[in-house]
Amino acid sequence: MPQTATANILTILETDFLGVVEEWLGSQVKEGVKRSDLFSDSESRAQNQELLKAFVKGVRAGVVNEEFNLEDDAWEDLRAVLADVSKERVSRGVTPTEMATFVLALKEPLFKRLEAMPGVEGGKLIRDVLMVTRLVDAFAIHTNEIFIAERDQIIERQRQEMLELSTPVVELWDRVLTLPLIGTLDSARAQEVMENLLQTILERQAEVVIMDITGVGTVDTQVAQHLLRAAAAVRLMGAECIISGISPMIAQTMVQLGIDVGTVSTRSSIRTALSDALQKVGYVIKTSEAS
Protein backbone atom coordinates (compact mmCIF):
# COMPACT_ATOMS: atom_id res chain seq x y z
CA MET A 1 0.00 0.00 0.00
CA PRO A 2 1.49 3.36 -0.98
CA GLN A 3 2.21 5.63 1.94
CA THR A 4 -0.50 8.17 1.22
CA ALA A 5 -2.23 10.11 3.97
CA THR A 6 -5.28 7.91 3.55
CA ALA A 7 -3.16 4.75 3.81
CA ASN A 8 -1.56 5.96 7.05
CA ILE A 9 -4.92 6.86 8.58
CA LEU A 10 -6.34 3.44 7.65
CA THR A 11 -3.30 1.71 9.11
CA ILE A 12 -3.88 3.44 12.44
CA LEU A 13 -7.62 2.76 12.48
CA GLU A 14 -7.30 -0.90 11.47
CA THR A 15 -4.32 -1.90 13.62
CA ASP A 16 -5.30 -0.03 16.80
CA PHE A 17 -9.06 0.29 16.51
CA LEU A 18 -9.90 -0.32 20.17
CA GLY A 19 -7.04 1.91 21.31
CA VAL A 20 -8.40 4.78 19.22
CA VAL A 21 -11.90 4.17 20.64
CA GLU A 22 -10.66 4.34 24.23
CA GLU A 23 -8.55 7.42 23.64
CA TRP A 24 -11.43 9.06 21.78
CA LEU A 25 -13.57 8.50 24.88
CA GLY A 26 -10.78 10.02 26.98
CA SER A 27 -10.67 13.09 24.72
CA GLN A 28 -14.43 13.50 25.13
CA VAL A 29 -13.99 13.43 28.90
CA LYS A 30 -11.32 16.16 28.70
CA GLU A 31 -13.57 18.27 26.47
CA GLY A 32 -16.48 17.79 28.88
CA VAL A 33 -18.79 16.23 26.27
CA LYS A 34 -18.87 12.58 27.27
CA ARG A 35 -22.10 13.21 29.26
CA SER A 36 -21.84 10.38 31.77
CA ASP A 37 -25.03 11.78 33.28
CA LEU A 38 -26.94 10.81 30.14
CA PHE A 39 -25.08 7.74 28.87
CA SER A 40 -23.46 4.81 30.65
CA ASP A 41 -19.85 3.94 29.81
CA SER A 42 -21.00 0.91 27.83
CA GLU A 43 -23.47 3.02 25.82
CA SER A 44 -20.82 5.65 25.04
CA ARG A 45 -18.29 3.01 24.04
CA ALA A 46 -20.80 1.22 21.80
CA GLN A 47 -21.69 4.49 20.03
CA ASN A 48 -18.02 5.31 19.50
CA GLN A 49 -17.29 1.86 18.10
CA GLU A 50 -20.23 1.93 15.69
CA LEU A 51 -19.31 5.41 14.45
CA LEU A 52 -15.63 4.56 14.06
CA LYS A 53 -16.39 1.32 12.16
CA ALA A 54 -18.55 3.28 9.72
CA PHE A 55 -15.88 5.99 9.52
CA VAL A 56 -13.19 3.40 8.66
CA LYS A 57 -15.41 1.92 5.96
CA GLY A 58 -16.00 5.35 4.49
CA VAL A 59 -12.31 6.29 4.51
CA ARG A 60 -11.42 2.98 2.85
CA ALA A 61 -13.96 3.28 0.01
CA GLY A 62 -14.86 6.95 -0.10
CA VAL A 63 -11.49 8.72 -0.31
CA VAL A 64 -10.04 8.74 -3.83
CA ASN A 65 -6.87 10.71 -4.60
CA GLU A 66 -7.25 12.49 -1.26
CA GLU A 67 -10.74 13.70 -2.22
CA PHE A 68 -14.07 12.67 -0.71
CA ASN A 69 -17.73 13.62 -0.36
CA LEU A 70 -19.73 12.43 2.63
CA GLU A 71 -22.86 12.35 0.46
CA ASP A 72 -21.39 9.53 -1.69
CA ASP A 73 -22.62 5.95 -1.35
CA ALA A 74 -19.35 4.94 0.30
CA TRP A 75 -20.37 6.90 3.39
CA GLU A 76 -23.90 5.50 3.60
CA ASP A 77 -23.17 3.42 6.70
CA LEU A 78 -21.69 6.43 8.50
CA ARG A 79 -24.73 8.57 7.68
CA ALA A 80 -27.07 5.82 8.94
CA VAL A 81 -25.18 5.37 12.21
CA LEU A 82 -24.99 9.15 12.64
CA ALA A 83 -28.76 9.44 12.22
CA ASP A 84 -29.35 6.82 14.92
CA VAL A 85 -26.79 8.27 17.33
CA SER A 86 -28.00 11.85 16.75
CA LYS A 87 -31.63 10.88 17.34
CA GLU A 88 -30.70 9.19 20.60
CA ARG A 89 -28.54 12.08 21.77
CA VAL A 90 -31.11 14.73 20.88
CA SER A 91 -33.78 12.85 22.81
CA ARG A 92 -31.54 12.80 25.89
CA GLY A 93 -30.71 16.50 25.79
CA VAL A 94 -27.25 16.74 24.18
CA THR A 95 -26.60 20.16 22.57
CA PRO A 96 -25.36 20.73 18.98
CA THR A 97 -22.05 22.08 20.31
CA GLU A 98 -21.55 18.99 22.46
CA MET A 99 -22.36 16.76 19.50
CA ALA A 100 -19.84 18.47 17.22
CA THR A 101 -17.15 18.47 19.92
CA PHE A 102 -17.87 14.78 20.56
CA VAL A 103 -16.80 14.04 16.95
CA LEU A 104 -13.91 16.55 16.84
CA ALA A 105 -12.38 14.82 19.86
CA LEU A 106 -11.40 12.01 17.44
CA LYS A 107 -8.56 14.19 16.11
CA GLU A 108 -6.36 13.88 19.18
CA PRO A 109 -5.86 10.08 19.17
CA LEU A 110 -5.29 10.11 15.40
CA PHE A 111 -2.77 12.97 15.59
CA LYS A 112 -0.80 11.21 18.33
CA ARG A 113 -0.58 7.99 16.35
CA LEU A 114 0.41 9.75 13.14
CA GLU A 115 3.20 11.53 14.97
CA ALA A 116 4.49 8.19 16.29
CA MET A 117 4.40 6.39 12.92
CA PRO A 118 7.83 5.51 11.46
CA GLY A 119 8.69 7.59 8.41
CA VAL A 120 5.91 10.12 8.99
CA GLU A 121 7.56 13.40 9.76
CA GLY A 122 8.04 16.88 8.38
CA GLY A 123 6.00 17.45 5.25
CA LYS A 124 4.43 14.00 5.39
CA LEU A 125 3.21 14.59 8.93
CA ILE A 126 1.69 17.94 7.94
CA ARG A 127 0.02 16.28 4.94
CA ASP A 128 -1.46 13.52 7.09
CA VAL A 129 -2.60 15.93 9.82
CA LEU A 130 -4.35 18.06 7.21
CA MET A 131 -6.09 14.97 5.83
CA VAL A 132 -7.29 13.92 9.27
CA THR A 133 -8.49 17.47 9.89
CA ARG A 134 -10.45 17.55 6.64
CA LEU A 135 -12.03 14.16 7.29
CA VAL A 136 -12.99 14.74 10.92
CA ASP A 137 -14.17 18.31 10.30
CA ALA A 138 -16.41 17.10 7.47
CA PHE A 139 -17.62 14.33 9.78
CA ALA A 140 -18.42 16.88 12.51
CA ILE A 141 -20.20 19.28 10.15
CA HIS A 142 -22.33 16.47 8.75
CA THR A 143 -23.06 15.32 12.29
CA ASN A 144 -24.22 18.78 13.27
CA GLU A 145 -26.48 19.04 10.22
CA ILE A 146 -28.15 15.72 11.04
CA PHE A 147 -28.37 16.67 14.70
CA ILE A 148 -30.02 20.04 14.00
CA ALA A 149 -32.44 18.49 11.49
CA GLU A 150 -33.45 15.87 14.07
CA ARG A 151 -33.86 18.51 16.77
CA ASP A 152 -35.96 20.68 14.43
CA GLN A 153 -38.26 17.71 13.81
CA ILE A 154 -38.69 17.25 17.55
CA ILE A 155 -39.35 20.98 18.04
CA GLU A 156 -41.94 20.97 15.23
CA ARG A 157 -43.63 17.90 16.68
CA GLN A 158 -43.71 19.51 20.12
CA ARG A 159 -45.07 22.73 18.58
CA GLN A 160 -47.90 20.80 16.96
CA GLU A 161 -48.63 19.01 20.23
CA MET A 162 -48.65 22.31 22.10
CA LEU A 163 -51.02 23.80 19.53
CA GLU A 164 -53.37 20.89 20.03
CA LEU A 165 -53.16 21.29 23.80
CA SER A 166 -53.67 25.05 23.53
CA THR A 167 -56.90 24.65 21.54
CA PRO A 168 -58.86 21.99 23.45
CA VAL A 169 -62.52 21.72 22.49
CA VAL A 170 -64.45 20.34 25.47
CA GLU A 171 -67.98 18.95 25.44
CA LEU A 172 -69.59 20.62 28.46
CA TRP A 173 -73.01 19.12 27.85
CA ASP A 174 -74.90 17.29 25.19
CA ARG A 175 -74.64 19.47 22.02
CA VAL A 176 -72.73 22.18 23.95
CA LEU A 177 -69.01 22.72 23.36
CA THR A 178 -66.54 25.13 24.92
CA LEU A 179 -63.21 26.36 23.61
CA PRO A 180 -61.11 28.00 26.36
CA LEU A 181 -58.49 30.24 24.77
CA ILE A 182 -55.33 31.16 26.68
CA GLY A 183 -52.43 33.39 25.65
CA THR A 184 -52.03 35.05 22.27
CA LEU A 185 -54.10 34.37 19.18
CA ASP A 186 -52.06 34.87 16.02
CA SER A 187 -53.04 33.84 12.49
CA ALA A 188 -51.47 30.37 12.68
CA ARG A 189 -53.11 29.54 15.97
CA ALA A 190 -56.44 31.03 14.86
CA GLN A 191 -56.41 28.68 11.86
CA GLU A 192 -55.65 25.73 14.13
CA VAL A 193 -58.47 26.79 16.47
CA MET A 194 -60.99 27.03 13.65
CA GLU A 195 -60.08 23.68 12.07
CA ASN A 196 -60.19 21.88 15.42
CA LEU A 197 -63.43 23.55 16.44
CA LEU A 198 -65.32 22.91 13.18
CA GLN A 199 -64.24 19.27 13.11
CA THR A 200 -65.47 18.78 16.69
CA ILE A 201 -68.80 20.47 15.91
CA LEU A 202 -69.27 17.95 13.10
CA GLU A 203 -68.27 14.96 15.22
CA ARG A 204 -70.38 15.95 18.26
CA GLN A 205 -73.32 17.39 16.32
CA ALA A 206 -73.01 20.47 18.54
CA GLU A 207 -75.59 23.25 18.44
CA VAL A 208 -73.88 25.83 20.68
CA VAL A 209 -70.18 26.71 21.05
CA ILE A 210 -68.80 28.85 23.87
CA MET A 211 -65.47 30.53 23.04
CA ASP A 212 -64.06 31.68 26.36
CA ILE A 213 -61.39 34.40 26.12
CA THR A 214 -60.86 34.91 29.85
CA GLY A 215 -57.24 33.78 29.43
CA VAL A 216 -56.49 35.97 26.38
CA GLY A 217 -54.30 38.79 27.60
CA THR A 218 -54.93 41.34 24.86
CA VAL A 219 -57.79 41.73 22.41
CA ASP A 220 -56.84 44.00 19.52
CA THR A 221 -58.35 44.39 16.07
CA GLN A 222 -56.56 41.32 14.70
CA VAL A 223 -57.60 39.08 17.62
CA ALA A 224 -61.19 40.32 17.40
CA GLN A 225 -61.28 39.58 13.68
CA HIS A 226 -60.01 36.04 14.30
CA LEU A 227 -62.77 35.50 16.87
CA LEU A 228 -65.50 36.88 14.63
CA ARG A 229 -64.34 34.79 11.67
CA ALA A 230 -64.43 31.70 13.87
CA ALA A 231 -67.95 32.64 15.03
CA ALA A 232 -69.04 33.06 11.42
CA ALA A 233 -67.64 29.64 10.52
CA VAL A 234 -69.52 28.13 13.48
CA ARG A 235 -72.78 29.61 12.17
CA LEU A 236 -72.11 28.12 8.73
CA MET A 237 -71.85 24.74 10.44
CA GLY A 238 -75.38 25.27 11.80
CA ALA A 239 -74.33 26.04 15.38
CA GLU A 240 -74.51 29.20 17.47
CA CYS A 241 -71.46 30.88 19.01
CA ILE A 242 -71.21 32.65 22.36
CA ILE A 243 -68.05 34.55 23.27
CA SER A 244 -67.53 34.61 27.03
CA GLY A 245 -64.93 36.26 29.25
CA ILE A 246 -65.57 39.81 28.02
CA SER A 247 -64.07 41.90 30.81
CA PRO A 248 -64.79 45.62 31.24
CA MET A 249 -61.31 46.42 29.89
CA ILE A 250 -61.79 44.23 26.81
CA ALA A 251 -65.25 45.71 26.22
CA GLN A 252 -63.83 49.24 26.42
CA THR A 253 -60.97 48.38 24.09
CA MET A 254 -63.29 46.85 21.50
CA VAL A 255 -65.51 49.95 21.57
CA GLN A 256 -62.51 52.25 21.17
CA LEU A 257 -61.30 50.16 18.22
CA GLY A 258 -64.73 50.28 16.64
CA ILE A 259 -65.10 46.50 16.62
CA ASP A 260 -68.69 45.42 15.99
CA VAL A 261 -69.50 41.87 17.08
CA GLY A 262 -72.72 41.97 15.08
CA THR A 263 -75.10 39.15 15.98
CA VAL A 264 -72.53 37.19 18.00
CA SER A 265 -73.67 36.75 21.60
CA THR A 266 -71.20 37.88 24.26
CA ARG A 267 -71.16 37.22 27.99
CA SER A 268 -68.92 38.36 30.83
CA SER A 269 -68.36 34.88 32.27
CA ILE A 270 -68.46 31.27 31.15
CA ARG A 271 -71.08 30.59 33.83
CA THR A 272 -73.63 32.91 32.24
CA ALA A 273 -72.63 31.70 28.79
CA LEU A 274 -73.26 28.08 29.85
CA SER A 275 -76.65 29.03 31.27
CA ASP A 276 -77.61 30.61 27.94
CA ALA A 277 -76.24 27.66 25.98
CA LEU A 278 -78.24 25.11 27.96
CA GLN A 279 -81.43 27.10 27.41
CA LYS A 280 -80.72 27.26 23.67
CA VAL A 281 -80.56 23.46 23.46
CA GLY A 282 -83.75 23.03 25.49
CA TYR A 283 -82.60 22.57 29.07
CA VAL A 284 -84.23 24.47 31.91
CA ILE A 285 -82.12 25.43 34.92
CA LYS A 286 -83.97 25.55 38.20
CA THR A 287 -82.70 26.25 41.68
CA SER A 288 -83.81 23.77 44.30
CA GLU A 289 -85.68 25.26 47.24
CA ALA A 290 -85.14 24.04 50.74
CA SER A 291 -88.25 22.32 52.10
Side-chain angles (χ1 to χ4, degrees):
M1 179 181 290
Q3 293 304 303
T4 63
T6 305
N8 289 336
I9 294 167
L10 282 173
T11 298
I12 289 170
L13 292 172
E14 291 171 346
T15 59
D16 193 16
F17 181 85
L18 293 179
V20 172
V21 168
E22 292 303 317
E23 198 163 330
W24 187 12
L25 286 168
S27 297
Q28 291 165 25
V29 172
K30 286 195 294 185
E31 295 292 340
V33 295
K34 185 170 179 290
R35 296 306 303 264
S36 298
D37 56 325
L38 302 178
F39 298 91
S40 66
D41 287 345
S42 60
E43 286 178 314
S44 295
R45 186 171 287 102
Q47 286 185 351
N48 278 260
Q49 288 178 346
E50 287 301 308
L51 283 169
L52 198 58
K53 284 179 185 176
F55 184 66
V56 172
K57 184 176 180 180
V59 172
R60 185 185 299 116
V63 180
V64 180
N65 297 325
E66 310 299 315
E67 295 299 326
F68 60 92
N69 183 348
L70 292 188
E71 298 300 324
D72 291 344
D73 291 344
W75 299 92
E76 183 178 359
D77 283 2
L78 179 63
R79 294 196 301 270
V81 175
L82 271 177
D84 291 340
V85 171
S86 297
K87 185 175 182 178
E88 182 65 27
R89 287 184 167 251
V90 169
S91 68
R92 298 202 194 185
V94 175
T95 68
T97 299
E98 288 173 332
M99 190 69 184
T101 307
F102 155 76
V103 173
L104 293 171
L106 177 59
K107 289 182 181 180
E108 184 174 346
L110 295 181
F111 287 164
K112 285 183 178 179
R113 284 161 176 76
L114 281 173
E115 189 177 18
M117 284 188 75
V120 179
E121 55 189 16
K124 290 182 179 179
L125 178 60
I126 293 173
R127 175 203 64 186
D128 291 2
V129 165
L130 288 174
M131 190 63 193
V132 167
T133 299
R134 287 177 58 207
L135 282 166
V136 177
D137 284 355
F139 182 9
I141 291 170
H142 193 78
T143 301
N144 225 32
E145 290 173 351
I146 292 176
F147 185 94
I148 291 172
E150 181 63 33
R151 190 182 63 172
D152 287 347
Q153 288 180 7
I154 291 176
I155 291 172
E156 178 59 23
R157 186 165 63 250
Q158 291 174 338
R159 189 186 72 83
Q160 290 297 331
E161 290 170 353
M162 288 178 68
L163 276 175
E164 291 174 4
L165 289 172
S166 68
T167 57
V169 180
V170 181
E171 187 174 30
L172 285 179
W173 208 267
D174 181 36
R175 293 171 289 155
V176 178
L177 303 177
T178 184
L179 174 65
L181 296 172
I182 299 173
T184 58
L185 190 65
D186 57 18
S187 297
R189 189 180 175 206
Q191 182 65 29
E192 183 76 19
V193 166
M194 190 178 298
E195 290 176 2
N196 194 17
L197 179 58
L198 299 182
Q199 183 62 35
T200 308
I201 291 172
L202 181 64
E203 292 171 357
R204 302 288 184 174
Q205 294 297 296
E207 295 181 13
V208 182
V209 174
I210 301 170
M211 287 196 298
D212 185 68
I213 62 171
T214 304
V216 177
T218 303
V219 175
D220 55 18
T221 303
Q222 185 180 38
V223 171
Q225 291 302 322
H226 289 321
L227 293 173
L228 295 178
R229 277 195 288 269
V234 168
R235 285 199 301 274
L236 289 174
M237 293 290 292
E240 187 170 344
C241 183
I242 303 173
I243 299 177
S244 67
I246 303 292
S247 67
M249 182 176 296
I250 289 177
Q252 184 177 357
T253 300
M254 293 177 72
V255 169
Q256 290 174 346
L257 293 173
I259 297 169
D260 182 8
V261 297
T263 59
V264 179
S265 298
T266 59
R267 294 293 182 269
S268 61
S269 69
I270 194 169
R271 182 176 64 180
T272 54
L274 178 59
S275 176
D276 284 358
L278 291 175
Q279 291 182 39
K280 289 179 186 296
V281 295
Y283 292 98
V284 178
I285 301 175
K286 293 182 178 180
T287 57
S288 59
E289 296 181 359
S291 57

